[in-house]
Amino acid sequence: MPHATTEPKIDIFIDRGGTFTDCVGISQRGGKDDIVIKLLSVDPGNYEDAPTEGIRRILEKFTGRPHPRDAKLSSDHIGVIRMGTTVATNALLERKGERSALLITEGFRDALEIGYQARPKLFDLAINKPDVLYSEVVEVEERVTMEDSTKDPFQHSIEVDSNPTLKIGQSGDIIRIIKPLNVESTRNSLEKLFEKGYRSICICLAHSYSFPDHENAIRDLAKEVGFTSISASSNLIPMIKLISRGMSATADAYLTPEIKRYISNFRRGFEDGLESTRCQFMQSDGGLVDVERFSGLRAILSGPAGGVVGYAKTSWHPEDNTPVIGFDMGGTSTDVSRYAGDYGHVFETTTAGVTIQSPQLDINTVASGGGSILGWKNGLFTVGPESASAHPGPACYRKGGPLTVTDANLFLGRLLPEYFPAIFGPEENLPLDYEVTKNKFINLSNSINEGSAIRKSPEEVALGFLAVANEAMCRPIRALTEGKGYHTSAHRLAVFGGAGGQHAASIARNLGIHTVLIHKYSSILSAYGMALANLVEEVQEPSSLVLGPLTTPEIHKRFESLKERAVQGLLLQGVSSTKHIETQQFLNLRYEGTDTQMMVSLPHDGDFRRSFEELHQQEFSFLLPSRDIVVDDIRVRGVAKEFERQSHNVYRELAETETRPNPSCEKLSKTYFANVGWVDTPIYLLQNLQPGDQIEGPGIIIDDTQTIVVTPFSTAKVLSEHIILSVGSQKQPIAPQSLALTDPDPAQLSIFGHRFMSIAEQMGRTLQKTAVSINIKERLDFSCAIFGPSGDLVANAPHVPVHLGSMAYAVKYQHERHGATLRPGDVLASNHPIAGGTHLPDITVITPVFDPSGKQIIFYTASRGHHRDIGGFEGISGNANATELYQEGARIISFKLVSNGTFDEEGITKILVDEPGQFPDCVGTSSLYDNLSDLRAQVAANAKGSKLIEKLFQEYGREVVQFYMDRIQANAEVAVRKFLQKTSEGLNGNILQAVDSLDNGTRIQLEIRIKPDGSAVFDFTGTGPEVVGNNNAPKSICLSAIIYALRCLINDDIPLNQGCLSSIQVINPEGSILNPSDQAAVYAGNTQTSQRVVDVILRAFDACAASQGCMNSVGFFGGRERKSSDGYKFAYGETICGGSGAGPGWNGASAVHCHMTNTRISDVEIMEKRYPIIVREFSIRPGSGGRGKYSGGDGVTRVIECREPLTFSMISERRVSRPYGLHGGEDGAPGENLILRKSGGKERLVSLGPRGIVKLQSGERFIIRTPGGGGWGTPELTTGKVGGNING
């Protein structure tokens, strides 16, 4: 504990960032100015540790006495040290953490490497999966599972006390111990790890969030062996999901030793090692923790969290109660967040490819900052995501760097070199280089003007890049507000970070926000936020209670227990008295049968149900009144407010401060603004301005650490702690040249590309939030897009590739069939192959958007979602044995789902329930409630897109929007033509050819004929005929495969729209497997044949070896009544990853979804909680990828055991034909589908073949082994797997 002293003390607050370390010193006695220090985070020539150096400089200024660098510092004058640091973040990004080992339940050694199986970037052929954080894995001999599944309709009472293998878990669930922990083998494994030099381990066992006994036993063993860092997942965050919890544990084991080392080194710089000084660190949740308890898992957002606390405490006040958007713009990225009186926490995020399950502030990051590189590609302006970083930095840094956002601001006079320190150039003694920036913009504008009818000056080019950058930064803000049901314009904007002030007014104007707050410490607000934060203690427990009167006493009892733990934790951290502590209580709630959790704080009236329903209605726009509300977690957050600083009401000061217009300026400087060009702009030094001074834009305000641009039609008012920008409502119009609508302005073309894609993305977020089914909400099997007035694709958010081109076919079909008769308030639904469908479960919902008169269609919005159950043969949608389309479920050529605003529930119910049952051995859907809910969600997603489109038309006018809609399509066409022309240059005769076969022998044959103008014919003549079974692919599938393959091959961020196919002619012979009759079964054409079409296209271009060529579609069905006509009571379906193909310069990736799908896989703990199954194994198949100079990725093994009778359906490919290698590379291994039967005490292994329906009894297992990818290049003479780990 700190000792008493009469020495004057100063509290020190530090944010150690990646580039700069910011320090603020505040005297405890007051009466002195705050001391602000900014220094480089790494400067080994002058000091070893930046925070220690910052403290040294503060102490020198505070005491007036020198503190030599070579002497340890005395802490006599230090009150408290609070710090945020990027040490953990940097170690994670750079993969420079502690060498550690993972202990995990047997059968899951590769589970964390597989993750949720989705590839990080949809169109990368060279898939680059993030590296795992551990160096070695030990499979632990133990296994537990949930005894009763929530989806099982035949649940029975369970006697726990009489069965020693049954336990009550911490969540209240009944746990069955299938295999007790093998203590001896675990001890041996730990001892071997210790002998290898490991000192840090992480432990993650299945269902340990509820049953931590086995993890606790391993933790105790590890302590006995001598491990110094032990991260048990159940102790870190006891929440369901093995993958997320396990990744979090590995992150903690990887980062905590690094954090401890840093803290130890930091303390060595002080005479007493800070033993007598309170030292606290900022955590990712916005709360402080004592230095002894600071861990890697909670440190990842340490720095940004300080900024959120800083703006929340300085820019929001309860008397005003207007929500605030935080905008933190730095050198490489921009962080945005929202504050409305409470810190919004999220409990699962992904950082550097690692899923983190821990309370974190809801901060969204976009790769656009001052150092973002400016580019000119395919007729579009691009800003980022690449950054010039600190080295070489922007062009003006005199190190040969590229043009960046910072250069654009410098060139336009928004940054003034004379007010920057002279620290640039090789000797770091020169000012910013304006001339090199100017010359680069002149050269770039010349390149842009070549062949263009629009002549743009260098200034217009630079301004255009700033406009594109601003729009890119507005996208996450719209997602954070509009995407969650809030109006963006109903917020204030709090701007901070080194580059924020240069963009504040423009960002606000784009968003319709009128008030911007810039704190006097805005450039060091993360450090200042440490001064305003509180010490916290988080405790929580899992639960399986159903919210209601019967469970209220139990919930209250558990709250009291957790409150006691939270208070004790704070007292242990040094809080002097309980009177300074308050506790906040939360329930993590969700509707039964969904996975969408909402952390709900205790409302004033104690009614959690009402509060949950209000939040659910606001964010998701619907309620599920017939479903129970489940309590997944009970949480208490203890907050110590012993040093809380008085909240300053900036809005009261703004109203009460008398305005003094037109203060005197330092000088005039030329600055370039839209529509007015170069103008003499007054320059003000912040230190010379007084509260009440008001500046009419244009103007620039400068202090030691920031530049604030006051644009025309804006004003800036100076207050004691803030500058308040009032932003006029004038929208900067499109340049006059563009209004002529003859040639597109390239900057506006880029901006419209952002806006169109943003609309499609927000539609997707709305659909995911408002849907109830697992397929849409959790597996993300959906797509959203917007279309022009004739049905041409304008923007398709990159969701599921198989939907890319086919949705346009569906919209065009409905437009040509109904366009003239549609009216406002009408919405159509379709899934039929002849109407652009891919397979029947994918239902497309299409909404026309009308002009203000309601007479003319100006756009369409559409969403396609996978409905697991739409009826079908023997109660299974997409039955593996189906041979006719009617056997695959409900068929919808065209149905008016909504007419004049009224949802036709009766009509769609008849289609989904009654019509499929009219056919022999077929039944309608057993999941009507989910169907109707998801269809309503699709209607809502379309409505969201329609509103955003209408808003865009109001901003720019119909002619302008539709002009740029056409031009953005033309832009994509140009990119495709250029690629094809370049491809044809090295060909003899401009012809590409390829052929491959399905497992049933059916040929897929392709000839591509490229013409000199860059157009091409994709001719599938020679492809085999329609087949018996459901491998037939509707012709829209080919369009999706072509647009996907071209986007991969171009390998650039071109717009995904109709222009990609405008120069392509597709010849698809009628009656072939790729253009079957209207009665052909097509389910697997979407999931399997589509993959083979992509393989053939990529083979024709000689791009890479074959990937697994399959989606491995498996489902199980149960709870069926005795009559076969009744259908099943529950069903589950998934697609399973495999190996990707290698290519020239890269190995294939293992255990990843390839090409035409990218859906997630459900976590084992969720599956076993819901369904009567045990996932026995989910691992990588070593050696299944084809060998080569670059080897193909490996497939996986997935083993599912039944706990009661279930029916399994399997549809797969590449069980006979192997994924081919190229250029001497070997083929990948084929997949296998096996059944482990049990009869008479004996086991036998039976092959199912590529497809089939099979009934399994309790204890029997379904085994799926997925194919590996093909190799590339002749294998080198070496043992084992060849080729380095390049790109996966």
Side-chain angles (χ1 to χ4, degrees):
M1 292 293 293
H3 64 262
T5 178
T6 58
E7 294 279 1
K9 289 184 178 290
I10 187 168
D11 295 334
I12 300 174
F13 311 102
I14 303 169
D15 172 37
R16 186 195 183 280
T19 304
F20 292 104
T21 292
D22 302 326
C23 309
V24 180
I26 302 177
S27 172
Q28 287 188 348
R29 294 182 180 178
K32 288 189 175 184
D33 290 339
D34 298 345
I35 300 172
V36 175
I37 300 292
K38 195 177 190 77
L39 67 162
L40 290 170
S41 293
V42 179
D43 191 358
N46 291 303
Y47 44 81
E48 292 184 6
D49 178 67
T52 305
E53 173 65 13
I55 293 172
R56 187 190 69 79
R57 296 183 190 182
I58 287 175
L59 289 176
E60 284 192 337
K61 291 190 175 186
F62 181 70
T63 64
R65 299 195 301 267
H67 287 65
R69 281 181 179 165
D70 57 356
K72 291 188 176 184
L73 297 174
S74 168
S75 59
D76 289 347
H77 291 279
I78 300 174
V80 65
I81 296 173
R82 294 178 173 180
M83 191 189 308
T85 176
T86 58
V87 169
T89 311
N90 292 341
L92 190 61
L93 291 170
E94 298 168 9
R95 293 299 196 262
K96 292 182 178 178
E98 178 79 356
R99 180 170 173 259
S100 59
L102 166 68
L103 286 84
I104 195 167
T105 300
E106 61 183 347
F108 296 96
R109 64 174 295 112
D110 303 314
L112 302 190
E113 182 176 349
I114 298 169
Y116 293 108
Q117 79 180 7
R119 59 192 183 275
K121 294 184 178 180
L122 196 63
F123 301 107
D124 281 2
L125 295 177
I127 299 170
N128 191 359
K129 294 176 64 176
D131 293 331
V132 295
L133 302 181
Y134 48 88
S135 302
E136 191 165 339
V137 185
V138 171
E139 291 189 274
V140 179
E141 293 183 36
E142 69 84 44
R143 188 63 159 96
V144 306
T145 191
M146 293 291 172
E147 178 60 11
D148 221 357
S149 54
T150 59
K151 291 283 187 180
D152 186 355
F154 307 126
Q155 294 185 21
H156 49 278
S157 60
I158 302 172
E159 291 293 333
V160 177
D161 295 338
S162 60
N163 191 333
T165 66
L166 298 180
K167 304 289 182 182
I168 301 293
Q170 289 185 352
S171 62
D173 293 299
I174 300 173
I175 303 293
R176 176 174 289 277
I177 302 174
I178 301 172
K179 178 185 285 189
L181 175 68
N182 187 327
V183 175
E184 280 310 307
S185 80
T186 304
R187 184 192 300 275
N188 290 338
S189 296
L190 288 168
E191 289 173 346
K192 289 178 181 177
L193 289 173
F194 196 83
E195 290 170 3
K196 293 179 180 179
Y198 288 96
R199 295 298 180 266
S200 179
I201 62 167
C202 49
I203 312 163
C204 186
L205 306 180
H207 302 289
S208 64
Y209 72 96
S210 182
F211 183 75
D213 298 32
H214 289 174
E215 280 197 8
N216 291 339
I218 296 173
R219 180 196 61 201
D220 294 341
L221 288 173
K223 287 180 179 178
E224 293 175 12
V225 171
F227 287 93
T228 55
S229 178
I230 305 167
S231 300
S233 72
S234 54
N235 293 336
L236 291 168
I237 184 76
M239 298 181 77
I240 192 170
K241 289 187 182 179
L242 177 78
I243 302 303
S244 302
R245 198 176 65 255
M247 287 188 178
S248 301
T250 66
D252 192 72
Y254 189 71
L255 299 175
T256 294
E258 195 74 17
I259 287 284
K260 298 299 184 187
R261 270 193 295 272
Y262 173 75
I263 290 172
S264 177
N265 291 334
F266 172 65
R267 296 175 98 165
R268 287 197 194 103
F270 298 83
E271 291 177 352
D272 63 349
L274 293 177
E275 291 296 329
S276 61
T277 303
R278 294 189 70 177
C279 185
Q280 301 163 349
F281 277 78
M282 175 63 75
Q283 300 183 112
S284 301
D285 63 356
L288 297 163
V289 68
D290 185 77
V291 61
E292 298 292 345
R293 304 179 67 172
F294 191 44
S295 71
L297 180 62
R298 299 291 180 92
I300 293 170
L301 292 182
S302 176
V308 174
V309 174
Y311 87 77
K313 292 292 184 73
T314 60
S315 301
W316 182 90
H317 197 276
E319 292 181 15
D320 175 75
N321 204 33
T322 301
V324 181
I325 294 166
F327 179 81
D328 178 6
M329 184 177 177
T332 58
S333 63
T334 297
D335 293 332
V336 300
S337 54
R338 180 180 184 273
Y339 185 80
D342 293 300
Y343 295 115
H345 289 113
V346 292
F347 291 81
E348 188 170 310
T349 59
T350 300
T351 302
V354 180
T355 300
I356 301 297
Q357 196 178 48
S358 176
Q360 300 182 59
L361 293 175
D362 190 2
I363 300 172
N364 295 268
T365 301
V366 59
S368 186
S372 294
I373 296 173
L374 312 181
W376 165 251
K377 299 178 183 178
N378 299 315
L380 292 174
F381 281 17
T382 61
V383 179
E386 299 83 5
S387 173
S389 303
H391 299 283
C396 59
Y397 279 19
R398 300 177 181 268
K399 294 181 181 178
L403 283 176
T404 67
V405 171
T406 295
D407 290 296
N409 279 311
L410 174 67
F411 179 55
L412 298 177
R414 301 175 183 214
L415 290 176
L416 280 72
E418 59 265 39
Y419 293 98
F420 264 74
I423 58 172
F424 304 101
E427 303 299 324
E428 298 185 345
N429 61 350
L430 297 174
L432 292 171
D433 191 338
Y434 175 84
E435 288 302 318
V436 73
T437 294
K438 175 183 175 181
N439 291 333
K440 281 180 173 286
F441 271 112
I442 290 172
N443 293 335
L444 180 58
S445 63
N446 289 336
S447 298
I448 292 171
N449 290 332
E450 287 181 10
S452 173
I454 296 179
R455 309 297 295 178
K456 296 186 74 68
S457 69
E459 291 85 353
E460 289 171 330
V461 169
L463 191 68
F465 277 112
L466 291 185
V468 173
N470 290 338
E471 182 56 42
M473 291 183 285
C474 285
R475 278 174 72 173
I477 295 176
R478 293 191 182 100
L480 194 67
T481 52
E482 295 171 354
K484 294 188 175 182
Y486 305 108
H487 293 292
T488 308
S489 58
H491 292 71
R492 296 202 169 100
L493 189 67
V495 174
F496 55 108
Q502 299 151 43
H503 295 258
S506 298
I507 292 288
R509 181 173 284 113
N510 283 1
L511 296 170
I513 294 174
H514 300 297
T515 303
V516 180
L517 298 96
I518 304 176
H519 193 268
K520 67 178 180 179
Y521 291 150
S522 66
S523 66
I524 56 167
L525 198 60
S526 290
Y528 188 64
M530 309 296 165
L532 307 176
N534 296 307
L535 202 67
V536 301
E537 178 78 9
E538 284 265 3
V539 288
Q540 76 178 54
E541 293 178 348
S543 165
S544 60
L545 297 172
V546 173
L547 187 67
L550 295 178
T551 58
T552 298
E554 173 67 14
I555 292 171
H556 178 74
K557 178 181 177 182
R558 294 177 70 175
F559 267 141
E560 291 303 311
S561 173
L562 291 173
K563 284 164 64 176
E564 184 176 341
R565 286 172 53 190
V567 169
Q568 288 301 313
L570 288 170
L571 293 175
L572 289 172
Q573 291 191 61
V575 177
S576 59
S577 171
T578 57
K579 69 180 182 180
H580 299 303
I581 297 174
E582 70 174 37
T583 55
Q584 302 163 357
Q585 300 164 64
F586 303 85
L587 293 180
N588 199 19
L589 304 174
R590 62 177 173 85
Y591 280 120
E592 174 63 47
T594 74
D595 250 10
T596 303
Q597 301 166 322
M598 304 192 79
M599 191 65 74
V600 180
S601 61
L602 176 66
H604 294 299
D605 60 0
D607 189 344
F608 274 104
R609 175 179 290 276
R610 178 192 56 76
S611 186
F612 170 76
E613 289 177 342
E614 287 176 356
L615 289 170
H616 205 280
Q617 180 68 45
Q618 176 187 312
E619 185 162 348
F620 304 138
S621 304
F622 73 97
L623 299 176
L624 300 174
S626 63
R627 295 200 185 187
D628 288 333
I629 298 174
V630 178
V631 182
D632 274 343
D633 301 280
I634 302 172
R635 171 185 171 224
V636 169
R637 182 177 173 88
V639 181
K641 297 189 173 182
E642 56 182 339
F643 301 121
E644 189 160 54
R645 297 176 185 273
Q646 187 68 31
S647 177
H648 173 67
N649 190 339
V650 60
Y651 304 106
R652 181 184 297 173
E653 182 187 2
L654 178 63
E656 295 175 352
T657 301
E658 183 178 345
T659 298
R660 290 192 304 275
N662 304 317
S664 60
C665 66
E666 301 297 316
K667 58 181 283 190
L668 295 177
S669 181
K670 293 287 187 183
T671 310
Y672 190 90
F673 293 100
N675 305 317
V676 294
W678 289 103
V679 295
D680 288 327
T681 302
I683 308 300
Y684 303 88
L685 296 183
L686 182 58
Q687 64 198 43
N688 296 334
L689 296 174
Q690 301 299 317
D693 286 348
Q694 181 164 296
I695 298 165
E696 297 288 337
I700 294 178
I701 303 171
I702 297 174
D703 73 1
D704 291 339
T705 58
Q706 64 182 326
T707 298
I708 300 167
V709 177
V710 187
T711 58
F713 309 110
S714 301
T715 61
K717 187 171 182 177
V718 180
L719 300 180
S720 60
E721 296 185 0
H722 293 81
I723 293 174
I724 307 295
L725 294 182
S726 297
V727 181
S729 60
Q730 293 89 341
K731 179 79 178 178
Q732 293 183 9
I734 294 179
Q737 303 99 310
S738 299
L739 293 175
L741 304 185
T742 53
D743 289 281
D745 177 277
Q748 289 297 332
L749 193 63
S750 302
I751 289 170
F752 273 102
H754 276 290
R755 292 296 293 271
F756 291 144
M757 187 59 75
S758 177
I759 291 170
E761 289 171 348
Q762 290 197 58
M763 289 174 64
R765 280 188 283 268
T766 300
L767 177 53
Q768 183 186 358
K769 288 190 309 181
T770 55
V772 302
S773 71
I774 294 173
N775 276 300
I776 293 178
K777 185 174 286 292
E778 298 164 32
R779 294 186 59 245
L780 309 183
D781 196 349
F782 67 86
S783 289
C784 295
I786 59 176
F787 304 82
S790 60
D792 288 330
L793 177 64
V794 174
N796 196 133
H799 294 130
V800 179
V802 77
H803 297 161
L804 282 174
S806 57
M807 283 181 71
Y809 192 105
V811 175
K812 275 181 169 293
Y813 182 93
Q814 302 301 326
H815 173 76
E816 293 169 358
R817 181 179 178 124
H818 292 294
T821 63
L822 294 174
R823 296 292 178 264
D826 291 349
V827 181
L828 302 170
S830 176
N831 70 347
H832 203 288
I834 68 169
T838 48
H839 63 180
L840 298 185
D842 286 346
I843 300 178
T844 306
V845 174
I846 301 164
T847 302
V849 183
F850 287 83
D851 65 8
S853 70
K855 295 180 179 178
Q856 193 166 3
I857 295 173
I858 55 175
F859 252 86
Y860 283 95
T861 58
S863 54
R864 176 172 286 177
H866 186 95
H867 293 246
R868 175 190 51 77
D869 187 359
I870 55 166
F873 184 55
E874 296 180 339
I876 299 175
S877 301
N879 191 299
N881 294 330
T883 58
E884 300 289 337
L885 187 65
Y886 71 79
Q887 295 175 321
E888 297 189 313
R891 299 169 297 168
I892 312 169
I893 294 177
S894 184
F895 175 70
K896 194 173 284 188
L897 183 65
V898 180
S899 182
N900 195 28
T902 301
F903 188 90
D904 188 355
E905 183 170 328
E906 181 180 351
I908 193 64
T909 298
K910 181 180 179 182
I911 290 172
L912 292 171
V913 177
D914 298 338
E915 292 184 5
Q918 296 176 1
F919 298 95
D921 298 320
C922 294
V923 299
T925 178
S926 298
S927 306
L928 180 63
Y929 183 87
D930 283 6
N931 296 133
L932 295 177
S933 298
D934 284 357
L935 287 169
R936 286 191 171 95
Q938 290 179 254
V939 172
N942 289 4
K944 179 71 172 181
S946 299
K947 287 180 181 178
L948 294 173
I949 288 171
E950 289 168 352
K951 182 179 178 181
L952 197 62
F953 272 69
Q954 291 168 6
E955 285 185 43
Y956 292 99
R958 174 179 172 180
E959 287 187 343
V960 171
V961 175
Q962 291 189 333
F963 171 78
Y964 277 95
M965 173 199 73
D966 292 337
R967 299 314 300 170
I968 205 79
Q969 292 174 335
N971 178 268
E973 179 182 348
V974 169
V976 171
R977 285 181 182 270
K978 285 183 177 179
F979 165 75
L980 291 173
Q981 285 174 325
K982 185 176 180 180
T983 300
S984 68
E985 289 173 1
L987 299 177
N988 182 18
N990 296 341
I991 293 177
L992 305 172
Q993 294 177 324
V995 64
D996 203 348
S997 297
L998 299 175
D999 280 352
N1000 64 8
T1002 302
R1003 287 165 59 88
I1004 307 291
Q1005 184 167 321
L1006 172 64
E1007 181 176 280
I1008 303 173
R1009 299 186 290 274
I1010 303 175
K1011 301 178 182 178
D1013 64 355
S1015 63
V1017 177
F1018 282 63
D1019 187 351
F1020 289 93
T1021 299
T1023 293
E1026 175 183 319
V1027 298
V1028 174
N1030 56 13
N1031 268 106
N1032 302 292
K1035 58 183 179 181
S1036 62
I1037 290 284
C1038 279
L1039 301 179
S1040 295
I1042 291 169
I1043 195 172
Y1044 166 78
L1046 288 173
R1047 172 61 182 81
C1048 291
L1049 292 165
I1050 291 171
N1051 195 27
D1052 210 346
D1053 192 15
I1054 66 169
L1056 287 172
N1057 59 45
Q1058 202 69 33
C1060 294
L1061 294 174
S1062 295
S1063 61
I1064 305 298
Q1065 178 189 354
V1066 180
I1067 298 175
N1068 215 338
E1070 191 170 339
S1072 76
I1073 192 174
L1074 301 182
N1075 188 5
S1077 66
D1078 59 4
Q1079 297 302 314
V1082 297
Y1083 184 86
N1086 178 88
T1087 60
Q1088 314 304 328
T1089 308
S1090 66
Q1091 297 280 55
R1092 197 59 47 85
V1093 174
V1094 172
D1095 274 346
V1096 169
I1097 295 172
L1098 295 177
R1099 187 172 194 171
F1101 283 97
D1102 198 31
C1104 60
S1107 293
Q1108 68 160 333
C1110 175
M1111 295 187 193
N1112 304 294
S1113 302
V1114 62
F1116 56 78
F1117 308 82
R1120 191 171 190 171
E1121 301 293 350
R1122 299 297 171 252
K1123 295 182 296 181
S1124 62
S1125 61
D1126 286 335
Y1128 293 92
K1129 299 303 180 186
F1130 65 83
Y1132 172 80
E1134 64 184 18
T1135 56
I1136 306 174
C1137 58
S1140 73
W1146 74 84
N1147 289 327
S1150 299
V1152 70
H1153 254 327
C1154 307
H1155 298 325
M1156 296 298 272
T1157 187
N1158 203 32
T1159 55
R1160 291 160 60 96
I1161 201 160
S1162 294
D1163 192 274
V1164 56
E1165 291 179 345
I1166 289 178
M1167 288 183 68
E1168 293 185 8
K1169 185 176 176 69
R1170 286 181 176 170
Y1171 304 105
I1173 57 102
I1174 302 171
V1175 180
R1176 286 291 186 175
E1177 182 182 351
F1178 193 26
S1179 64
I1180 295 174
R1181 291 178 68 194
S1184 55
R1187 296 173 69 250
K1189 181 178 181 181
Y1190 300 101
S1191 296
D1194 290 331
V1196 301
T1197 297
R1198 192 161 172 87
V1199 181
I1200 301 173
E1201 180 179 313
C1202 302
R1203 300 198 66 198
E1204 65 178 49
L1206 295 173
T1207 299
F1208 276 76
S1209 174
M1210 185 73 203
I1211 301 177
S1212 61
E1213 274 289 324
R1214 295 290 193 197
R1215 268 51 181 177
V1216 178
S1217 62
R1218 299 161 66 103
Y1220 57 79
L1222 287 179
H1223 295 272
E1226 295 178 359
D1227 294 345
E1232 289 183 291
N1233 304 322
L1234 305 170
I1235 310 298
L1236 183 66
R1237 293 286 195 190
K1238 290 189 176 183
S1239 178
K1242 294 183 179 180
E1243 295 181 348
R1244 57 193 177 101
L1245 202 60
V1246 182
S1247 174
L1248 178 67
R1251 60 172 55 224
I1253 303 284
V1254 62
K1255 298 182 187 299
L1256 272 65
Q1257 301 303 311
S1258 178
E1260 296 184 330
R1261 300 180 183 183
F1262 197 92
I1263 303 167
I1264 306 108
R1265 295 174 182 158
T1266 68
W1272 179 284
T1274 303
E1276 297 172 356
L1277 295 177
T1278 181
T1279 58
K1281 189 96 170 178
V1282 299
N1285 187 22
I1286 301 173
N1287 292 324

